[in-house]
Amino acid sequence: KQPQPINFGGQQGYVATIAGPSAHTGVVEVDVTYTTVSANGQLFYITTIVPEDEQDAYKAAFAQILRTLQMAR
């Protein structure tokens, strides 16, 4: 899946999702990486990783983290 634009910490950024078996458990996990460029030009990112069958249980918590994130300008 191609990266999608997103508002991230009050700035334009991108979100990319990949999924595949965990090297440790073999269970399919979903990795979502959110990226943006900080005010000083550095890459800032957050990656969430969750077993595919538990995505719904974590969705609200991950969304709350992203909603409350504020980037310095």
Side-chain angles (χ1 to χ4, degrees), residues 5 13 22-23 25 27 30 39-40 43 49-51 53 57 60 65-67 70:
S22 166
T25 66
V27 173
V30 178
N40 65 1
L43 175 67
I49 303 172
V50 65
D53 61 349
I65 291 167
L66 295 172
R67 265 194 314 276
Q70 295 182 355

Side-chain angles (χ1 to χ4, degrees), residues 17-65:
T17 303
I18 60 171
S22 166
H24 299 286
T25 66
V27 173
V28 174
E29 62 185 22
V30 178
D31 304 1
V32 182
T33 301
Y34 304 86
T35 63
T36 191
V37 177
S38 67
N40 65 1
Q42 293 186 350
L43 175 67
F44 179 84
Y45 67 93
I46 293 177
T47 301
T48 61
I49 303 172
V50 65
E52 185 177 48
D53 61 349
E54 296 180 32
Q55 273 183 284
D56 290 341
Y58 290 89
K59 189 177 284 188
F62 292 157
Q64 178 69 18
I65 291 167

